């Protein structure tokens, strides 16, 4: 295998899954959910980032009720319920959930606005120059200072009818690189050239006040076709971007994107972002994109978290307690692996002590029940 990540077998020859036994970085990039989380935790431990590994590993590791449930959703996907969740955008388990909820909230709004002939939509990336050794939080604070300065300016207030912003952070040879992806809604009659020239100058001036300079590559902004607005909004909300850009993004940016999920970065860099990003709001809306549903924070979305889909099986608490942490990680990865048909998973689940169907009501049939 060119990635150095061989298929491993667990609980029977029919079950294969790319789990934490793969090399950490390839597994973090190619894995999903529990697989990526397991690889991330192992990589953090190996790098001496034990506290961050512990914090990441807590997500979906504790039972909240009497059982862990296996939930089937339309289209065949499987999710696990009855577990605690950290609700952070840096988590391979929670990020896809938060992304899905954002898209659910934005869908009707985007569909309505894309039909408004009085609006035109633009995609842009706001970023600062960065260098190896710069602290992530310092770069983020400077970026937000520049962005707030633009949003609070009269020019923005009288021109931009709405916006969606999504913070993204990567790490490369020049260190941390937090940047904002944005979609702006402008009146159809507004000439975008002068507006984006103003935005570039305003951002640059704010950056100098922080002792930094902005980084403007050709094509840093472009118009989004009305019929492709939903695709581009979906890109902004996806916290598990792997670098495969849609045709809409290729056309908007002029080239495929290079983004990877945040948990693909080196362990020491991830640990720094995990520690220093508490309280950071990674996604936001304003103006015509803002509704009670779309403006919810990550914390609010996580508080509303409910079991997804129909419960097709459960693992009672007493059985869960007998599983070692290693077994929990392996088995959760198998239960949620989309490449494994449910019919192949069932025999292993039963062998582990799982039970088909939802847990019965403990009071059912009791005297006076």
């Amino acid at each position: 295998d060119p990635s150095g990540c061989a298929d491993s077998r667990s609980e029977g020859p029919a079950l294969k899954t790319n789990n934490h036994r793969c090399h950490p970085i390839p597994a973090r990039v190619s894995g999903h959910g529990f697989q990526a989380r397991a690889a991330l935790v192992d990589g953090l431990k190996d790098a001496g980032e034990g506290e961050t590994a512990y914090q990441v590993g807590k997500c979906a590791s504790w039972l909240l009720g009497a059982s862990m449930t296996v939930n089937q959703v339309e289209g065949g996907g499987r999710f696990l319920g009855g577990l605690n969740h950290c609700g952070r955008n840096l988590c391979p388990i929670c990020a896809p959930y938060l992304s899905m909820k954002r898209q659910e909230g934005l869908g009707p709004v985007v569909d309505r606005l894309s039909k408004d002939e009085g609006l035109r939509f633009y995609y842009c990336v706001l970023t600062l120059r960065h260098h190896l050794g710069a602290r992530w939080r310092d770069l983020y604070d400077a970026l937000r200072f520049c962005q707030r300065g633009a949003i609070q300016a009269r020019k923005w207030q009288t021109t931009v009818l709405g916006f969606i912003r999504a913070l993204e952070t990567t790490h490369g040879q020049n260190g941390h690189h937090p940047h904002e992806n944005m979609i702006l809604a402008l009146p159809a009659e507004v000439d975008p050239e002068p507006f984006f020239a103003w935005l570039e100058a305003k951002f640059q001036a704010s950056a100098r006040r922080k002792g930094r300079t902005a980084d403007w590559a050709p094509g840093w902004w472009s118009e989004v076709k009305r019929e492709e607005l939903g695709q581009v909004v979906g890109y902004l909300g996806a916290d598990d971007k792997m670098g495969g850009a849609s045709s809409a993004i290729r056309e908007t940016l002029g080239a495929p994107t290079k983004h990877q999920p945040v948990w693909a970065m080196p362990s020491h860099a991830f640990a720094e972002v995990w520690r220093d990003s508490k309280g950071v709001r990674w996604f936001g809306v304003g103006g015509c994109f803002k509704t009670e549903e779309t403006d919810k924070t990550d914390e609010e979305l996580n508080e509303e978290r409910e079991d997804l889909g129909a419960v097709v099986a459960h693992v009672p608490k007493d059985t869960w307690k007998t599983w070692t942490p290693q077994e929990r990680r392996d088995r959760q990865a198998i239960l949620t692996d989309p490449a494994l048909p449910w019919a192949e998973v069932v025999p292993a689940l039963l062998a582990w002590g799982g039970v088909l169907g939802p847990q019965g009501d403990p009071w059912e049939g009791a005297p006076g029940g």
Side-chain angles (χ1 to χ4, degrees):
D1 185 276
S3 69
C5 189
D7 283 340
S8 59
R9 298 172 182 266
S10 182
E11 309 294 343
L15 291 181
K16 294 182 179 180
T17 185
N18 295 319
N19 63 20
H20 71 284
R21 295 185 181 90
C22 303
H23 292 179
I25 291 297
R28 280 186 246 165
V29 175
S30 62
H32 67 93
F34 290 96
Q35 294 172 321
R37 195 277 302 274
L40 174 59
V41 169
D42 282 351
L44 289 166
K45 287 181 178 177
D46 291 344
E49 299 288 351
E51 177 58 30
T52 304
Y54 171 73
Q55 295 297 330
V56 174
K58 286 196 305 183
C59 185
S61 295
W62 297 344
L63 283 182
L64 296 177
S67 67
M68 180 187 77
T69 62
V70 183
N71 309 325
Q72 190 95 30
V73 298
E74 187 176 351
R78 295 190 297 272
F79 297 85
L80 303 182
L83 303 167
N84 76 301
H85 293 93
C86 67
R88 297 191 64 175
N89 267 283
L90 303 178
C91 172
I93 295 172
C94 290
Y97 167 80
L98 294 170
S99 174
M100 177 192 69
K101 296 302 292 184
R102 292 192 194 99
Q103 297 308 310
E104 284 182 359
L106 280 168
V109 177
V110 170
D111 184 62
R112 171 174 53 81
L113 293 178
S114 66
K115 297 179 176 65
D116 189 336
E117 297 292 338
L119 297 175
R120 291 172 69 181
F121 304 95
Y122 302 87
Y123 176 92
C124 65
V125 181
L126 304 181
T127 181
L128 296 173
R129 287 193 174 91
H130 55 289
H131 57 84
L132 191 64
R135 292 182 62 249
W136 183 87
R137 186 70 197 208
D138 291 341
L139 292 170
Y140 166 77
D141 287 343
L143 178 67
R144 290 293 290 141
F145 173 81
C146 297
Q147 187 181 52
R148 283 195 300 268
I151 291 176
Q152 294 169 0
R154 178 176 174 81
K155 178 71 172 180
W156 179 288
Q157 296 286 331
T158 58
T159 306
V160 178
L161 300 180
F163 67 88
I164 305 174
R165 53 162 288 267
L167 175 66
E168 185 175 354
T169 190
T170 57
H171 188 276
Q173 62 181 4
N174 292 323
H176 289 292
H177 182 209
H179 48 283
E180 289 277 7
N181 300 292
M182 299 192 75
I183 292 177
L184 308 182
L186 306 184
E189 66 274 12
V190 168
D191 183 353
E193 293 281 354
F195 171 77
F196 283 102
W198 167 83
L199 179 57
E200 180 177 347
K202 177 67 176 176
F203 206 82
Q204 192 72 270
S206 296
R208 285 195 293 269
R209 291 176 60 186
K210 286 291 184 178
R212 300 188 179 276
T213 56
D215 195 6
W216 304 101
W220 68 274
W221 69 271
S222 185
E223 185 168 4
V224 178
K225 292 182 179 179
R226 188 179 304 278
E227 62 272 18
E228 294 182 336
L229 179 62
Q231 290 177 264
V232 179
V233 170
Y235 168 82
L236 256 67
D239 294 286
D240 55 347
K241 291 186 278 291
M242 299 296 186
S246 69
S247 59
I249 293 296
R250 283 194 179 93
E251 185 166 340
T252 301
L253 300 182
T257 61
K258 302 177 181 178
H259 306 299
Q260 291 182 333
V262 65
W263 48 87
M265 68 173 60
S267 297
H268 70 279
F270 178 90
E272 180 185 347
V273 179
W274 180 274
R275 291 190 298 265
D276 292 350
S277 64
K278 289 182 180 180
V280 167
R281 188 167 184 179
W282 294 76
F283 196 85
V285 294
C288 61
F289 287 107
K290 186 174 182 177
T291 68
E292 183 177 345
E293 193 65 28
T294 63
D295 196 39
K296 290 179 179 177
T297 64
D298 294 341
E299 292 76 16
E300 289 172 327
L301 291 176
N302 194 52
E303 288 174 2
E304 297 175 356
R305 197 165 194 163
E306 297 178 359
D307 292 344
L308 303 174
V311 177
V312 294
H314 69 280
V315 177
K317 185 175 183 178
D318 289 343
T319 300
W320 169 269
K321 285 182 176 179
T322 67
W323 293 4
T324 66
Q326 186 79 50
E327 288 172 336
R328 292 173 186 172
R329 290 166 57 178
D330 284 352
R331 293 170 181 181
Q332 286 174 321
I334 289 171
L335 291 171
T336 56
D337 192 334
L340 295 175
W342 176 238
E344 293 186 19
V345 175
V346 167
L349 175 64
L350 295 177
W352 301 334
V355 181
L356 295 182
Q359 181 171 344
D361 185 347
W363 296 103
E364 188 175 347

